[in-house]
Each structure stands twice: as C-alpha cells, then as structure tokens.
Amino acid sequence: QLWSWVSARKEMGDMAREKEAYRDNLERILEAFPGREILYQKEIAQWLHMDSRTVKANFPMKGGGARGASCWISVASLARALS
C-alpha cells in the first residue's frame, strides 16, 4: 500500500499527545536551569522545596548514589512527570 496523507493522519491520531501542562512545566524548568539537559535530585529538591527522598520517590530518577548525589533526570522527563 502506498503512503498517503490520509493514512499518516490516521496514525498520528493514535499517537499519544503531550499533556496540557507539559510545555508550561518545560518552560519553568528551563528558566530555572538555563542550558541544562540533566538535573540532579538535590537540585530538584531545592527548587521544589521538597525533601530529596520525596523527589526520588515521586519522580523517575536514574542512577542511585549516596544521598541522591548521582540520581538524575532529564529536563524533558521532569516536565512530563510534573504534568
């Protein structure tokens, strides 16, 4: 079957859409951490005024060093998680 705009639109309709607040959250994060792509658990905890352990429990952090020093998350993932 040949590719067509109709079939492409149909496929896009099935794709997941961004959550409504994603862009707003992304903008706030980029304002708080300009030029950063990766954020660390302690930085997020300070920014959100939360305990570091609460951040780790509520957001999909990667890594896992002592006291959250090497736990990290991408800006895009954090924006998604906050949405």
Side-chain angles (χ1 to χ4, degrees):
Q1 179 182 7
L2 293 174
W3 181 87
S4 70
W5 284 108
V6 175
S7 64
R9 283 186 186 161
K10 194 176 200 179
E11 287 178 30
M12 286 184 66
D14 295 337
M15 291 173 51
R17 292 190 174 170
E18 293 177 351
K19 291 184 181 177
E20 209 171 292
Y22 174 78
R23 296 279 173 173
D24 293 333
N25 289 334
L26 184 60
E27 185 178 328
R28 287 178 47 230
I29 295 166
L30 292 174
E31 284 175 8
F33 302 97
R36 302 280 302 278
E37 189 61 36
I38 298 294
L39 302 175
Y40 292 98
Q41 182 176 337
K42 287 183 178 183
E43 297 171 317
I44 297 165
Q46 289 173 347
W47 182 59
L48 295 175
H49 304 282
M50 297 173 86
D51 185 85
S52 185
R53 293 168 293 195
T54 305
V55 169
K56 187 171 184 178
N58 289 291
F59 297 106
M61 306 299 291
K62 304 286 184 186
R67 299 187 197 154
S70 63
C71 289
W72 57 272
I73 189 171
S74 71
V75 168
S77 292
L78 180 59
R80 250 190 316 277
L82 287 169
S83 298

